[in-house]
Structures are given as C-alpha cells and as structure tokens.
Amino acid sequence: MSAVQQTQAVTPELRAWIIEQAQAGAQPEAVLASMKASGWNEDVAIAALEETLRGFLDERAKSSALLPPPVPVPDPLPKEGGLPTVLRLPDREVRVVMAMNEPRVVVLGGLLSHEECDELIAQAERRLTRSETVQTDTGASEVNAARTSQGMFFERGESELCRRIEARIAALIGWPVDNGEGIQVLRYRPGAEYKPHYDYFDPAQPGTPRILERGGQRVATVVMYLNDPEIGGGTTFPDVKVEVAPVKGNAVFFSYERAHPSSKTLHGGAPVVAGEKWVATKWLREGVFR
C-alpha cells in the first residue's frame, strides 16, 4: 500500500457525498473522475465507490421490498411524444406551466376561468365551517390544529358548475368522474396554513380499511386556486423544495402511486401573509367513490 493510500481515509462525509451523487443520477465513472480530480488515489476512490454504492443499493432494495405495491394513477400529460404546452379539452384549453416526474407534479394554467372561480367562492362561502381532516386511526373527521382554514364540501355533481369542473378534470387526467370525491373549497385568512402532510390514507392506521371501503385509496390530487393572495399561501413540496404560487384560475396536479413517503408527495399550504387565499381541492380514488 502506498503512502498516499494510507493517508486517505474514507470518511462518513465522503460516503454521504457519493450517495448524494448516486441519488442525483451521476454515473460511477463521473463520480470517480471527480474524486481523482480532487486528489483521491484511484485505488482508494474505486474501493470507496464500490463499498458505498453496494451498501446503498442493498439498503434501497430492502426498503423497496417493504413498500406497498404501486397502483395505476391518472396523469394529465401523454406518456410519450414530449411535453405539450397546451392541453386541449372539450370545453377549454389549459396551459402546461411546469412538470416534474418524481414526484409527478404538473402546474396547469387556466384550468378554471376567473368567472368560474368567483362563482365557486360564492356558492361555497355561506357554508364554510372550520376545516377538518380525516383521522386514519378511527376513520372519522375532526378539527386538526395543523389545518387552520375554513372549508366545505360539495357533493359530486351537486351543481351545474361542479359537474362542469368535474367533467373537465376527468377529461384532463383520463380518470372517471365517479372515481372522484366531491370538490372541497377552503378559505385561508392571514396567518392560516396547512402544515405539510400526505393526501393518501396511511395503510398502517387502524381506521384506514373503513375509509377505503368508499372507493379505495386516494391516488391523485388537484388543487385549484380561486383567487390571488397578496403575499404567501403557496403550495409547498418540502421533499423536493418546490413551491407553487397560488395564481387565480391555475391548478397543481400531483399523483402518488404508493401510499408511502417514498412518493415524495409531502405537501402543505404555506401561511397566508397578506390578503386571503381560496382554493378548491379534488381528490381522486382508485375506484368509484360512494
């Protein structure tokens, strides 16, 4: 062993860096070249790469074996042929503002007209109460300190406006209208927020089987922005460090093929700093929601 090899220790920090490069998609050859350029002996670098990546892949394989199986999910974008700029629906053209693959997040421009936004607010406003969340330990709904908004639910197909929006979303994402929950409308006043959470129902919780009787697991979410808050109120995805601005008429779609944190769909509603925020949320299920 050379004197250089003896003095170059493979530290936890180096291993963490190698794993970061692998997670970012860097090829081992590129990582090796970077290490050599930084002064690492080639033999030491190769040994560190092989040992670290072998352990990383073994751990990832073990984790994958414990994951729930993936399920089919809706998607507003075609599987092949490149990213379109406009999606032409039967009653409206919707712009593609941004798209991510992991997680699948698509920001949609002009999903709703400004008149539809105003009408939805008007229909919902008189029925607002303190927002609740579904408790998967019991299957019931209750007020949660993490959600400081007011809200209400429309029944699916309750009004002509609801039917129009539901049909548009179904056409957009290729998912049956009957597999959707009713539209929920929420109002966030200054300081109100919804702390980061997942929309799927935790399979490990005892109340989840009861919830899933009504249509199976949630597989996707569409959040529609009904007004322009002055400051704040974006939809955040902490795992991927993305925040979607709440622009009136726009929407953000995201799907989750596994009911597991590996979906990277942890998301929240950032606090409203000035003004108020109105959103409409549509959750999609695996099967017919009753």
Side-chain angles (χ1 to χ4, degrees):
M1 182 179 293
S2 70
V4 173
Q5 287 175 276
Q6 289 179 325
T7 59
Q8 290 188 320
V10 179
T11 63
E13 290 76 17
L14 176 63
R15 296 185 193 280
W17 178 82
I18 291 172
I19 291 173
E20 286 177 5
Q21 302 310 301
Q23 290 175 325
Q27 295 298 311
E29 295 81 4
V31 179
L32 176 61
S34 179
M35 293 178 68
K36 289 170 63 179
S38 298
W40 284 90
N41 175 273
E42 183 172 9
D43 290 339
V44 176
I46 290 172
L49 272 173
E50 289 180 346
E51 182 181 354
T52 302
L53 292 178
R54 187 182 304 114
F56 169 68
L57 293 174
D58 286 347
E59 286 300 316
R60 190 164 68 174
K62 290 177 184 176
S63 298
S64 296
L66 300 175
L67 294 177
V71 299
V73 296
D75 198 324
L77 301 180
K79 302 298 182 186
E80 300 177 355
L83 183 67
T85 57
V86 176
L87 301 172
R88 292 176 174 83
L89 306 179
D91 69 335
R92 191 168 181 81
E93 290 189 350
V94 176
R95 300 183 308 280
V96 178
V97 178
M98 183 276 282
M100 296 179 61
N101 289 326
E102 293 185 14
R104 186 49 146 175
V105 177
V106 182
V107 180
L108 302 157
L111 179 62
L112 303 181
S113 70
H114 282 208
E115 293 74 19
E116 288 171 330
C117 292
D118 295 342
E119 186 179 350
L120 203 55
I121 289 174
Q123 291 186 14
E125 191 165 15
R126 62 183 179 272
R127 293 163 56 179
L128 294 176
T129 60
R130 174 67 187 272
S131 298
E132 297 184 342
T133 58
V134 176
Q135 302 303 305
T136 48
D137 55 347
T138 64
S141 296
E142 63 183 38
V143 171
N144 188 320
R147 193 177 204 181
T148 54
S149 60
Q150 292 179 302
M152 57 77 64
F153 272 97
F154 290 103
E155 294 291 331
R156 190 175 60 225
E158 179 176 328
S159 67
E160 188 279 330
L161 176 61
C162 288
R163 291 190 293 272
R164 189 192 323 149
I165 295 172
E166 288 163 352
R168 186 179 303 156
I169 291 173
L172 172 74
I173 65 176
W175 211 249
V177 170
D178 287 348
N179 288 26
E181 299 180 27
I183 295 171
Q184 182 190 47
V185 174
L186 297 171
R187 176 172 64 185
Y188 293 83
R189 288 181 165 142
E193 65 179 315
Y194 194 1
K195 294 186 184 301
H197 60 282
Y198 298 100
D199 280 353
Y200 59 75
F201 303 112
D202 187 350
Q205 294 296 320
T208 295
R210 176 185 166 192
I211 298 168
L212 300 187
E213 290 174 359
R214 298 191 65 191
Q217 187 60 264
R218 284 177 176 167
V219 292
T221 303
V222 182
V223 178
M224 298 162 275
Y225 304 108
L226 305 183
N227 77 321
D228 295 315
E230 293 177 41
I231 304 174
T235 302
T236 63
F237 293 85
D239 287 346
V240 290
K241 298 178 174 58
V242 166
E243 181 168 354
V244 178
V247 176
K248 184 175 182 177
N250 287 7
V252 58
F253 164 93
F254 54 99
S255 62
Y256 25 98
E257 66 177 10
R258 301 178 194 270
H260 190 272
S262 64
S263 67
K264 299 181 182 178
T265 55
L266 184 71
H267 66 284
V272 175
V273 178
E276 62 179 21
K277 178 179 76 169
W278 287 82
V279 297
T281 302
K282 181 76 172 175
W283 287 290
L284 292 310
R285 297 285 192 107
E286 289 180 277
V288 175
F289 179 73
R290 295 182 171 85

